[in-house]
Amino acid sequence: MPEATLTLSNLDAHYGDFQALYGLDLELAAGEVVAVIGANGAGKTTLMRSISGLLRNRPDAVRYRGQPIGAMRADQVAALGIALVPEGRQLFPSLSVEENLMIGGKVGRAGPWDLGKVYELFPILEERKAQASTSLSGGQQQMVAIGRALMANPDLILFDEISLGLAPVVIRQIYQALPSIVGEGMTAMIVEQDIAQALAMSSRVFCLMEGRIALEGRTEDVTHDQITAAYFGVEA
Amino acid sequence: MIEWTGAIVQGVLLGGLYALFAAGLSLIFGVMRLVNIAHGDLIILAAYMGLTTTVMLGVHPFLALLIVMPLMAGLGYALQRGVLNQTLGDDILPPLLVTFGLSVIIQNALLEFYTADPRKLPGGAVETASLDLGGITVGVLPLLTFGIAVAVIAGLQFVFYRTSLGRGFRAVSDNQDIAQLMGLNKAHVFGLAMALALAVVAIAGILLGMRTSFDPAIGGGRLIFGFEAVIIGGLGNLWGTLAGGVILGVAQTLGAKIDPGYQILAGHIAFLIVLAVRPNGLFPRVEH
């Protein structure tokens, strides 16, 4: 197995007294694309927040290429090459489309992604570059959010619910763009409620339930019944 | 009639100084939602730093800016990183209390070092020089102050909307968590915003000190004028802040024209009218 890009060891996460993740163990190899699925409240977004540094933890609970990053701030994690496409897009309303993309490049990492390449991937954004980001449709906003993360030239990209609230035709469009992103050798973690889309993109799948990993396996090995059981917490 | 026109012109020029008081307040509120109660005292601190610099080095107060501005900016960065960042959060009360405490500390420290005697910065010939604009006599210093205010606000506007630093300010203001994900360390960005605000405070302090005498206790009044200019102009709009300063200045000089005792009151009344009619100010920032 190639060198692990990301290693989670006994990762817990808390919001005050509420525990959202319980002792998660997980490993991602370089260049691997994995799907994380689970019902609402299963802990998927919390997992993304823990990896990206928005939720702090023990240093060794999250390791990136062997380096303990669990206690780092989000900006330090970003500088190491981990980018998050957050749930609900969360663009900066005061910034234009192009400014949103440019701020993604603020970490200053070298790599293939720049404004030109993002516009090549999503040509509509170049037409709308001077517009306020919030004036775009949901799908176009998602393209900005993805482009903004790519501008950081990350080695590991985390997608949190990229299809949430989007029309099916837009979701197809976004998923059509993903292979050209992860084809660049990026390691990716895709959190989705749209299980079929997530599985089609990934080589391994993790199903979270109530903050624990209920199922883990290679995409081609897991059965529909296993996923149903893990997703809903019932015997299929 | 010419006297009233003259009063309006003087008010407009006075508004430039108030806009300088207000610009720093507006900037830090815009970036980090921090209401700095010590803002007025920091203006007075800058005036005293200007005084010490001019006396020690024997330079003109405008030249003293070369020293006072970086010193105030450095103080702003250190203050933000060392103290104020710790007070920021969902609750608006801690920064209010801490900056109120800071205000008391600055006033007492100034009292200790400089005594309560009124002081003034020696501006030299520029203080008394005047121009005759079609029958209205205008002081060169107020004119210069207004020009500097316009330049400062244009400069801040440029920084906010045309530079990478400004993008960072706006991003952090929009969403601190997501800005952090973009590699922006919000503690550092806030520090830079406070540094910039206090650099503007340094300019305001020096111009105030050349225009009028000052003592350690007058910071509170400058804070109120700054607040009023920000609220009249509309929160988050720098050009609106200039307009707010001008409206406040004109109201004060017109009030003083009616009766010298009405000067300050007239400004407060203008502020209250705007607050009653347009609670968001005259030119609030339009959200996209």
Side-chain angles (χ1 to χ4, degrees):
Chain A
M1 191 155 173
E3 179 206 4
T5 293
L6 183 76
T7 312
L8 306 183
S9 328
N10 199 20
L11 173 72
D12 293 331
H14 300 263
Y15 296 104
D17 291 337
F18 174 72
Q19 185 163 1
L21 295 179
Y22 294 85
L24 253 55
D25 291 308
L26 186 157
E27 203 165 278
L28 251 74
E32 196 179 18
V33 179
V34 302
V36 177
I37 59 173
N40 270 339
K44 305 186 299 294
T45 294
T46 304
L47 173 63
M48 300 278 108
R49 290 174 63 84
S50 300
I51 297 170
S52 60
L54 289 176
L55 276 179
R56 313 277 277 275
N57 214 295
R58 297 189 332 272
D60 62 348
V62 185
R63 285 178 178 273
Y64 179 64
R65 293 173 165 166
Q67 183 182 356
I69 63 162
M72 283 187 183
R73 294 191 312 266
D75 58 299
Q76 295 169 316
V77 172
L80 291 175
I82 299 180
L84 169 67
V85 180
E87 183 183 356
R89 279 81 77 180
Q90 308 214 39
L91 302 182
F92 299 110
S94 319
L95 273 58
S96 68
V97 168
E98 186 154 290
E99 285 179 322
N100 265 282
L101 294 173
M102 283 165 77
I103 208 149
K106 187 87 181 166
V107 289
R109 286 171 53 83
W113 291 97
D114 56 15
L115 273 178
K117 197 152 180 230
V118 171
Y119 289 149
E120 209 176 286
L121 183 67
F122 300 121
I124 185 76
L125 298 187
E126 187 163 22
E127 291 170 31
R128 305 276 160 94
K129 64 182 180 185
Q131 276 181 232
S133 53
T134 44
S135 69
L136 302 184
S137 69
Q140 290 164 358
Q141 287 191 28
Q142 189 61 274
M143 293 171 191
V144 178
I146 293 171
R148 186 178 64 177
L150 291 174
M151 287 287 288
N153 280 301
D155 295 323
L156 168 61
I157 188 163
L158 313 167
F159 295 100
D160 195 359
E161 306 275 16
I162 41 177
S163 64
L164 195 69
L166 300 181
V169 60
V170 179
I171 298 173
R172 258 200 311 280
Q173 211 180 337
I174 301 246
Y175 268 95
Q176 272 166 8
L178 283 193
S180 60
I181 297 169
V182 293
E184 303 277 343
M186 251 182 233
T187 309
M189 185 181 265
I190 302 173
V191 161
E192 260 298 357
Q193 295 211 20
D194 186 335
I195 299 170
Q197 291 281 16
L199 294 187
M201 280 295 303
S202 51
S203 57
R204 274 198 302 153
V205 59
F206 294 86
C207 184
L208 288 185
M209 211 193 82
E210 293 176 353
R212 295 180 172 88
I213 294 176
L215 175 72
E216 175 185 352
R218 299 194 60 76
T219 318
E220 64 265 27
D221 296 339
V222 294
T223 64
H224 182 267
D225 288 348
Q226 281 175 313
I227 289 176
T228 308
Y231 197 95
F232 296 108
V234 291
E235 289 303 316
Chain B
M1 188 60 204
I2 194 97
E3 281 182 18
W4 288 94
T5 315
I8 291 172
V9 171
Q10 302 299 345
V12 169
L13 299 184
L14 178 62
L17 185 64
Y18 292 166
L20 283 173
F21 292 168
L25 266 181
S26 182
L27 193 153
I28 55 167
F29 182 81
V31 174
M32 61 187 109
R33 305 286 179 270
L34 175 102
V35 177
N36 183 7
I37 302 290
H39 191 78
D41 303 290
L42 288 162
I43 293 171
I44 305 306
L45 172 66
Y48 275 108
M49 283 165 79
L51 181 69
T52 301
T53 311
T54 50
V55 170
M56 282 179 69
L57 302 181
V59 293
H60 191 273
F62 280 136
L63 272 179
L65 268 177
L66 294 176
I67 290 177
V68 179
M69 269 177 79
L71 275 180
M72 286 298 286
L75 173 71
Y77 188 84
L79 189 65
Q80 189 65 41
R81 293 296 301 257
V83 181
L84 297 176
N85 274 342
Q86 275 65 264
T87 70
L88 294 174
D90 294 334
D91 191 355
I92 194 168
L93 201 55
L96 278 177
L97 290 175
V98 168
T99 53
F100 178 71
L102 189 64
S103 155
V104 174
I105 291 169
I106 293 171
Q107 278 187 40
N108 282 284
L110 290 176
L111 208 54
E112 191 67 33
F113 283 115
Y114 294 99
T115 76
D117 295 341
R119 310 296 284 268
K120 199 165 170 309
L121 291 177
V126 75
E127 276 182 40
T128 49
S130 62
L131 295 173
D132 186 7
L133 301 178
I136 300 167
T137 308
V138 178
V140 168
L141 184 61
L143 207 55
L144 212 52
T145 303
F146 189 80
I148 291 171
V150 171
V152 164
I153 286 175
L156 288 177
Q157 194 80 8
F158 179 82
V159 168
F160 255 74
Y161 293 98
R162 293 280 178 271
T163 67
S164 166
L165 178 65
R167 271 199 299 280
F169 284 157
R170 285 182 286 144
V172 171
S173 167
D174 280 345
N175 189 329
Q176 295 183 15
D177 275 355
I178 303 299
Q180 197 98 4
L181 283 176
M182 303 298 124
L184 292 163
N185 177 5
K186 67 180 178 189
H188 177 62
V189 174
F190 288 166
L192 292 177
M194 187 57 91
L196 189 57
L198 290 206
V200 175
V201 157
I203 299 172
I206 298 275
L207 288 169
L208 168 84
M210 284 165 67
R211 182 188 178 97
T212 176
S213 61
F214 54 92
D215 65 68
I218 67 160
R222 305 322 103 177
L223 172 72
I224 298 288
F225 295 157
F227 265 140
E228 290 182 342
V230 172
I231 306 283
I232 292 172
L235 275 175
N237 181 344
L238 285 164
W239 287 116
T241 298
L242 179 65
V246 166
I247 289 167
L248 185 65
V250 169
Q252 286 189 359
T253 49
L254 288 181
K257 191 86 198 122
I258 296 165
D259 183 310
Y262 287 163
Q263 181 184 352
I264 306 298
L265 182 65
H268 293 331
I269 288 172
F271 164 70
L272 282 175
I273 290 171
V274 171
L275 204 56
V277 180
R278 297 282 297 267
N280 290 329
L282 297 177
F283 314 101
R285 185 173 71 171
V286 182
E287 291 293 346
H288 295 302

Coordinates of all heavy atoms in Angstrom, one line a residue, chain B residues 49 65 67-80 190-202:
Chain B
M49 N 1.8 61.6 21.5 CA 3.0 61.1 20.9 C 3.6 62.1 19.9 O 4.8 62.2 19.8 CB 2.7 59.7 20.2 CG 2.6 58.6 21.2 SD 1.8 57.1 20.5 CE 3.1 56.4 19.6
L65 N 4.5 62.7 12.0 CA 3.7 61.5 11.6 C 4.5 60.3 11.1 O 4.1 59.2 11.3 CB 2.8 62.0 10.4 CG 1.4 62.5 10.7 CD1 0.7 63.0 9.5 CD2 0.6 61.5 11.4
I67 N 6.9 59.1 12.4 CA 7.3 58.3 13.6 C 6.0 57.8 14.3 O 5.9 56.6 14.7 CB 8.2 59.1 14.6 CG1 9.5 59.3 13.9 CG2 8.3 58.4 15.9 CD1 10.5 60.1 14.7
V68 N 5.0 58.7 14.4 CA 3.8 58.4 15.2 C 3.0 57.3 14.5 O 2.5 56.4 15.1 CB 3.0 59.6 15.5 CG1 1.7 59.3 16.3 CG2 3.8 60.6 16.3
M69 N 2.9 57.4 13.2 CA 2.0 56.4 12.5 C 2.5 55.0 12.6 O 1.8 54.1 13.0 CB 2.0 56.8 11.0 CG 0.8 57.7 10.7 SD 0.7 58.2 8.9 CE 0.1 56.7 8.2
P70 N 3.8 54.7 12.4 CA 4.3 53.3 12.6 C 4.2 52.9 14.0 O 3.8 51.7 14.3 CB 5.7 53.3 12.1 CG 6.0 54.7 11.6 CD 4.8 55.6 11.7
L71 N 4.4 53.8 14.9 CA 4.3 53.5 16.4 C 2.9 53.1 16.7 O 2.7 52.1 17.4 CB 4.8 54.7 17.2 CG 6.3 54.8 17.5 CD1 6.5 56.0 18.4 CD2 6.8 53.6 18.2
M72 N 1.9 53.9 16.3 CA 0.5 53.6 16.6 C 0.1 52.3 15.9 O -0.6 51.5 16.5 CB -0.4 54.8 16.1 CG -0.3 56.0 17.0 SD -0.8 55.7 18.7 CE -2.6 55.6 18.6
A73 N 0.6 52.1 14.6 CA 0.2 50.9 13.9 C 0.8 49.7 14.7 O 0.1 48.7 14.9 CB 0.8 50.9 12.5
G74 N 2.0 49.8 15.1 CA 2.6 48.7 15.9 C 1.9 48.4 17.2 O 1.6 47.3 17.6
L75 N 1.5 49.5 17.9 CA 0.7 49.4 19.1 C -0.6 48.7 18.8 O -1.1 47.8 19.6 CB 0.5 50.8 19.7 CG -0.5 50.9 20.9 CD1 0.2 50.3 22.1 CD2 -0.9 52.3 21.2
G76 N -1.2 49.1 17.7 CA -2.5 48.5 17.3 C -2.4 47.0 17.1 O -3.2 46.2 17.6
Y77 N -1.3 46.6 16.4 CA -1.1 45.2 16.1 C -0.9 44.4 17.4 O -1.5 43.4 17.7 CB 0.0 45.0 15.2 CG 0.2 43.5 14.7 CD1 -0.6 43.1 13.6 CD2 1.0 42.6 15.4 CE1 -0.5 41.8 13.2 CE2 1.1 41.3 15.0 CZ 0.3 40.9 13.9 OH 0.4 39.6 13.5
A78 N -0.1 45.0 18.3 CA 0.3 44.3 19.5 C -1.0 44.2 20.4 O -1.3 43.2 21.1 CB 1.4 45.0 20.2
L79 N -1.7 45.3 20.5 CA -2.9 45.4 21.3 C -3.9 44.3 20.8 O -4.6 43.6 21.6 CB -3.5 46.8 21.2 CG -4.7 47.2 22.1 CD1 -4.2 47.2 23.5 CD2 -5.2 48.6 21.7
Q80 N -4.1 44.2 19.5 CA -5.1 43.3 19.0 C -4.7 41.8 19.3 O -5.5 41.0 19.7 CB -5.2 43.5 17.5 CG -6.4 42.8 16.8 CD -7.7 43.2 17.3 OE1 -8.0 44.4 17.5 NE2 -8.6 42.2 17.6
F190 N -6.9 40.4 11.9 CA -7.5 41.4 12.9 C -6.4 42.3 13.3 O -6.6 43.5 13.5 CB -8.1 40.7 14.1 CG -9.4 40.0 13.8 CD1 -10.0 39.1 14.6 CD2 -10.1 40.2 12.6 CE1 -11.2 38.4 14.4 CE2 -11.3 39.6 12.3 CZ -11.8 38.7 13.2
G191 N -5.2 41.8 13.6 CA -4.1 42.6 14.0 C -3.7 43.7 13.0 O -3.5 44.8 13.3
L192 N -3.7 43.2 11.7 CA -3.4 44.2 10.6 C -4.5 45.2 10.5 O -4.2 46.4 10.2 CB -3.3 43.4 9.3 CG -2.1 42.5 9.1 CD1 -2.1 41.7 7.8 CD2 -0.8 43.3 9.3
A193 N -5.8 44.8 10.7 CA -6.9 45.8 10.6 C -6.7 46.8 11.7 O -6.9 48.1 11.5 CB -8.2 45.1 10.7
M194 N -6.4 46.4 12.9 CA -6.2 47.4 14.0 C -5.0 48.2 13.8 O -5.0 49.4 14.1 CB -6.1 46.6 15.4 CG -6.1 47.5 16.6 SD -7.5 48.6 16.7 CE -8.6 47.6 17.7
A195 N -4.0 47.7 13.2 CA -2.8 48.5 12.9 C -3.1 49.6 11.9 O -2.7 50.7 12.1 CB -1.7 47.6 12.3
L196 N -3.9 49.2 10.9 CA -4.3 50.2 9.9 C -5.2 51.3 10.5 O -5.0 52.5 10.2 CB -5.1 49.5 8.7 CG -5.4 50.3 7.5 CD1 -4.2 50.8 6.8 CD2 -6.1 49.4 6.5
A197 N -6.1 50.8 11.4 CA -7.0 51.8 12.0 C -6.2 52.7 12.9 O -6.5 54.0 12.9 CB -8.0 51.0 12.9
L198 N -5.2 52.2 13.6 CA -4.5 53.1 14.5 C -3.5 54.0 13.7 O -3.1 55.1 14.2 CB -3.8 52.4 15.6 CG -4.7 51.8 16.7 CD1 -4.0 51.6 18.0 CD2 -6.0 52.6 16.9
A199 N -3.1 53.6 12.5 CA -2.3 54.5 11.7 C -3.2 55.7 11.3 O -2.7 56.8 11.3 CB -1.8 53.7 10.4
V200 N -4.4 55.4 11.0 CA -5.4 56.5 10.7 C -5.6 57.4 11.9 O -5.7 58.6 11.8 CB -6.7 56.0 10.1 CG1 -7.7 57.1 9.9 CG2 -6.5 55.2 8.8
V201 N -5.7 56.7 13.1 CA -5.9 57.4 14.3 C -4.7 58.4 14.6 O -4.8 59.5 15.1 CB -6.0 56.4 15.5 CG1 -5.6 57.0 16.8 CG2 -7.4 55.9 15.6
A202 N -3.5 57.9 14.2 CA -2.3 58.8 14.3 C -2.5 60.1 13.5 O -2.2 61.2 14.0 CB -1.1 58.0 13.9

